[in-house]
Every structure is written in structure tokens, then in C-alpha cells.
Amino acid sequence: MLLSALTMATALCSGQATATGTPALSPTAADRTAAASLPCDLYADGGTPCVAAHSTTRALYADYNGPLYQVKRASDEATRDIGVLSPGGYADAGAQDSFCAGTSCLITVIYDQSDRGNDLTQAPPGQFPGPAEGGYDNLADAAAAPVTVNGHKAYGVFVAPGTGYRDNDTNGVATGDQPEGMYAVLDGTHYNSGCCFDYGNAETNSRNNGNGTMEAIYFGDSKTWGYGTGKGPWIMSDLENGLFSGVNRGYNANDPSVSHRFLTATLKGGPNRWAIRGGNAQSGGLSTYYDGPRPNDSGYDPMKKEGAIILGTGGDNSTGSAGTFYEGVMTSGYPSEATENAVQASIDSADYAESPSVSESLTPGSKVSLRATTECCTKDSLRHDADGNVGIGEISGSSPPDAKAAATWTVRAGLGDASCVSFESADKPGQYLRHSDFRMRLGAGDSSQFKNDATFCPQTGHSGEGVSLRSLNFPSDFLRHYDHNAYIASDGGSHDWDATAAWSDDTSWTVAEPWSS
């Protein structure tokens, strides 16, 4: 307690932001010493305890020794809880890797580390239905966002459009005009303009219940309701029927574009006051982007918060968003800046870092061929035919030029998500590899549906060789060859091409030199 109090006093005297847009000084040595206390310990010391604490990368209490999240294996639908390596420590990513070896896994539960039981699970249908069975939202692929935390391998929650988690029956989360705070550590380079990549307080019926019925951190570059300086992305507050960057609807000059690879975003709100702060989650302090009265529009003072918790969607289950979440909490009470600064020091000390990329060979603008790795077919490459159907076929140095060209692809930044990739046909410019009714074909278009169908996210090959290419909008499906045709396929699904036999090999591809220049 004494150490935390000294830390907060140091933060008050040594440079947290004192005006909107004014950056804080880097945490002092005392701040970093206090980082031995984890975020929820620090919030408790500050009198604003956590009522929800979610992370797939590390414990958020120094004594936490329970599960962080649960994964479900595609091959047999078995589940496993993924815990920490030691009390107060980092995720046991090795347990996930072992459990999911040779197949794929989805994140089914993100456990609440507080004693409130506010776990996040698959978001149900709301005012807008999700794309999964029954109108539920998709679940995130468990291996899609690898990172390291203090040198330990871990995984974040990769939210593609259609993905969402929610708890509509919570315990202790602020309602009405009660004060609360929250923060989230996010990938500051993974975002879009869709609605809405949120983490925080939302409606308990998954519908838009009017102005002021939610209060959540938003991150992205949407300009539909509000925005700040530059091109974005921005940290804003989703208060329902408005993304707010300040007191006014629309533009507010003090909310800057942010681009840190790892981003800390904070939001807090109480009676006729709220604030946005943000900073680099790898080093340095927090800056205050807004601190003042509620928006000067009807319905936001007093607030009518309902107390559900969302991750990756809007309050009404709008699912057009993209982003990556690593950790976040919600508190009871309005945290002081000193507490938030101490929490930021703890985040800095976690030493978030990028995991080595598996897609260095898939550089946008380069030309590649994708060769099968299954023992039967190592001479075969992914290619299209004259009718635009896509499968695999044997290609060699003596193959005709048109066959070589049909097996050559130009890598592009993902049409539906720039953090992933798309493949443009080298000999049919403007035509992209996309799935349609699960079958791979060439196609062209500019709709969001087409762009998502034509986007694939690389990860380590399921067989341990090459890369596997996950469908952006079907997180459990990967590019697979089956009977010489190409599909997106899950491991053990309902279609013939989902067969478990050879699935890990069939979904692993060698990125090779292009057959055609």
C-alpha cells in the first residue's frame, strides 16, 4: 500500500498530463518499481477496484492463479482452459500450442479475473445479427494475434468483422450515472472504420436503447459520428448514437491520431464528467485527450448506462469492426490520474513486443506461388482455370507460360483488413482469390462482402511447415486443397472438404518463388 501511494504521489508531481493534448513525462523509477503491483492491485489501492478484468496475455492481479481464457479445438470440439505460468504471471501459451497442434482453435471464453464472474463469451444476436449460427457473432481464432510479454509467448484476441464477445448479465458494473473507469491495451495498427470496435459498458439486451445507454472505449478511424485531428485512428468514447472525441459532436481538435503498435486507451465517466487518455503501451506515460463535461447534446447527462460488457462490437451488436485486444479492465468509481499513471507503468513493464512474423514472405506487391505440402501433391501449386475456378495442379519449369501465369499471385494488403493479405491473379489483374459458397474462385468487386471473402490471415502452418491462410470472415476455416479443388475448410465440419484426414497438411502451404514474372 505504501509503495503504491508513493507511486501515485510521484506521478502527481512528475508529469501526468495537466491539459488536453499535453503529454505526460515518462514513468519514473518509482513508477516502474510499483509495476510489480499489477493493474487491479493498483486500482484497488486507489479506491476504484476492478469489477471486470480480462486478458489473454497475463494476470492482472499479483496473486491471480486461475484461467485467463478457454479455447475450443476444431478437430473434436474439446475445450481447455489456458492459465498462467505462475501466480500473477503470463499466459501458458505452450498449453494452447500443444492442445491445438495440427488443428485450429477458437477462443470461447475470456475469463474475468475479478471475483465478480463477468466472463466474456460469444456475443448473442441483438438489433443486428452476427454471422454465426443462430445469429451469434463469430469467435476469434486463438492463434491469430501472437505477441510476447516480457519475453513469454502469448496470444491476443484478433477481432475480424463479425467477431464479438459479450456479457449481458454482469455483477458490479456501473449503471445509470454511476462513475466508472476502464482501460484496454490494443494493437494500434489494426483497425478499420466499421462500427464498432468497443470495449466497455453497453446495453443488457444487445440493442440501441438511446443516447447515454452505453459507455465504452472505441478505437478506429470512423468519422461517421465523431473524429479528431489527422486521418485517424482515434481513441473515442462510444456513448450510443455517437462516437465522441470531446464535448462536441463531430470534430474535436484535441483528440490526436495515434499509431502505437501497442496502445493503452483509457476512458472514465461520472456525473457530468468524462475523460479520454491514451499512450504507448510499450513506454512512456499517458496523455489527456479530453477531460470535461458530458457532450453538449441531449441524452448524455445524466447517463443511463446499463452495465453489460462488450468486446469487439457496438452496443446493438454492430459487427463491422476490426481490432486486436490484449488486456483491459473496468472499475467501480472514477479513477484518479495518479492511479491511471501507476497502471500505465505496470503496462509498460509488461514489455509487450511483436512476435516474429510468419508472413514475411507475403509482402504486399510481391509475386509468389503457393505450393501444396501434402505428401501426395508437393509438385502442385494453387492455380486458376479458364473459368475462374481455383484448385491445385502440377507446375514445373517446362509447363506452358499460361499455366505458370495461372499459378502466380500478386500479394496485396488485405482488401477487408490491411493486417492480412489478398491474392490478385498475376495474369488477370483485378481478379482476386476469394471464397464463394466455400469454393475458391477468381472474382472482382468492391463490396465489403467481397473484400472480406478475398482476405486471408497468415499464421504458422498447421503441419508445422509453411503458412496456413485463415479466412477473414470464417475464423475456423482455412484455405485447403481437397481432391485437387480449393476451398475454405474447417477441421471436421459438415462438408466433404472439411474431412479431418490430412487437414493439417492440406491447409499448409509453402510460399515459393513465382512461376511467372
Side-chain angles (χ1 to χ4, degrees):
M1 291 288 291
L2 177 60
L3 180 59
S4 295
L6 287 172
T7 302
M8 293 179 196
T10 302
L12 281 168
C13 297
S14 63
Q16 82 274 2
T18 56
T20 53
T22 303
L25 298 178
S26 297
T28 65
D31 289 329
R32 292 197 174 275
T33 301
S37 293
L38 294 181
C40 285
D41 305 310
L42 297 166
Y43 278 115
D45 290 350
T48 53
C50 294
V51 294
H54 304 110
S55 176
T56 57
T57 62
R58 64 171 184 151
L60 300 176
Y61 293 85
D63 62 354
Y64 187 76
N65 197 30
L68 299 179
Y69 60 104
Q70 181 189 85
V71 296
K72 181 172 72 172
R73 190 163 58 194
S75 57
D76 59 3
E77 297 194 340
T79 60
R80 175 160 181 174
D81 287 347
I82 306 300
V84 290
L85 294 167
S86 61
Y90 304 99
D92 185 2
Q96 174 181 315
D97 291 341
S98 176
F99 182 73
C100 302
T103 185
S104 64
C105 281
L106 299 175
I107 297 173
T108 46
V109 183
I110 305 169
Y111 290 108
D112 176 16
Q113 298 177 34
S114 81
D115 59 3
R116 300 284 186 164
N118 294 320
D119 303 334
L120 295 174
T121 57
Q122 186 174 17
Q127 187 164 331
F128 295 96
E133 184 177 357
Y136 280 71
D137 295 352
N138 287 333
L139 295 167
D141 182 272
V147 293
T148 63
V149 190
N150 261 330
H152 299 275
K153 184 178 182 181
Y155 294 99
V157 183
F158 185 96
V159 173
T163 302
Y165 294 82
R166 195 175 192 118
D167 184 352
N168 280 342
D169 185 16
T170 61
N171 176 7
V173 178
T175 58
D177 210 29
Q178 292 175 337
E180 67 177 348
M182 62 195 77
Y183 84 82
V185 175
L186 309 171
D187 181 344
T189 66
H190 183 207
Y191 59 89
N192 69 4
S193 59
C195 182
C196 290
F197 183 69
D198 290 348
Y199 174 70
N201 193 322
E203 298 93 339
T204 56
N205 63 357
S206 302
R207 295 182 176 276
N208 179 345
N209 292 335
N211 295 4
T213 54
M214 61 181 294
E215 182 171 63
I217 294 166
Y218 165 82
F219 180 66
D221 63 350
S222 172
K223 297 180 72 173
T224 302
W225 297 278
Y227 57 101
T229 58
K231 296 182 178 179
W234 304 279
I235 303 168
M236 294 190 281
S237 178
D238 191 342
L239 303 178
E240 192 53 273
N241 294 321
L243 298 177
F244 288 92
S245 56
V247 71
N248 299 311
R249 279 197 179 273
Y251 174 69
N252 288 278
N254 287 318
D255 195 19
S257 298
V258 288
S259 59
H260 308 301
R261 171 58 179 85
F262 295 96
L263 169 71
T264 304
T266 77
L267 174 67
K268 54 188 175 183
N272 199 27
R273 184 185 178 189
W274 66 289
I276 304 172
R277 305 182 77 201
N280 187 340
Q282 292 178 296
S283 65
L286 296 172
S287 298
T288 300
Y289 302 148
Y290 178 77
D291 187 347
R294 290 291 184 180
N296 54 13
D297 201 352
S298 62
Y300 299 103
D301 182 30
M303 293 286 285
K304 310 170 194 68
K305 294 176 282 194
E306 297 190 11
I309 305 174
I310 54 173
L311 171 61
T313 73
D316 55 9
N317 200 46
S318 301
T319 59
S321 57
T324 299
F325 173 91
Y326 302 108
E327 64 177 75
V329 312
M330 299 177 66
T331 73
S332 174
Y334 196 91
S336 68
E337 288 195 353
T339 296
E340 292 173 330
N341 292 343
V343 169
Q344 172 68 359
S346 172
I347 294 168
D348 287 349
S349 72
D351 195 23
Y352 274 97
E354 289 194 71
S355 192
S357 174
V358 300
S359 58
E360 291 179 355
S361 56
L362 293 173
T363 305
S366 65
K367 289 186 177 181
V368 300
S369 64
L370 296 172
R371 300 191 191 182
T373 63
T374 313
E375 186 176 359
C376 65
C377 311
T378 55
K379 295 182 180 180
D380 291 352
S381 296
L382 191 73
R383 58 158 297 170
H384 67 82
D385 66 17
D387 296 322
N389 298 310
V390 176
I392 59 170
E394 184 173 342
I395 306 291
S396 68
S398 60
S399 296
D402 59 343
K404 291 180 179 179
T408 300
W409 305 91
T410 303
V411 181
R412 302 297 185 194
L415 299 179
D417 188 323
S419 69
C420 301
V421 295
S422 295
F423 296 95
E424 184 179 12
S425 171
D427 64 335
K428 293 186 179 295
Q431 299 279 312
Y432 286 83
L433 181 70
R434 60 86 55 98
H435 64 82
S436 177
D437 198 22
F438 298 96
R439 179 74 189 270
M440 300 308 304
R441 308 176 189 277
L442 287 187
D446 59 6
S447 69
S448 60
Q449 178 70 53
F450 173 84
K451 291 177 180 178
N452 291 340
D453 290 349
T455 301
F456 302 87
C457 301
Q459 57 193 63
T460 301
H462 291 126
S463 68
E465 182 179 357
V467 299
S468 291
L469 296 163
R470 176 176 53 82
S471 166
L472 178 67
N473 49 0
F474 286 79
S476 61
D477 287 11
F478 291 78
L479 178 63
R480 180 187 191 175
H481 64 86
Y482 182 80
D483 196 22
H484 285 83
N485 294 313
Y487 303 88
I488 56 167
S490 62
D491 186 3
S494 59
H495 307 107
D496 290 346
W497 53 85
D498 296 324
T500 59
W503 185 87
S504 63
D505 291 326
D506 292 351
T507 57
S508 299
W509 303 84
T510 297
V511 179
E513 291 295 316
W515 284 113
S516 174
S517 59

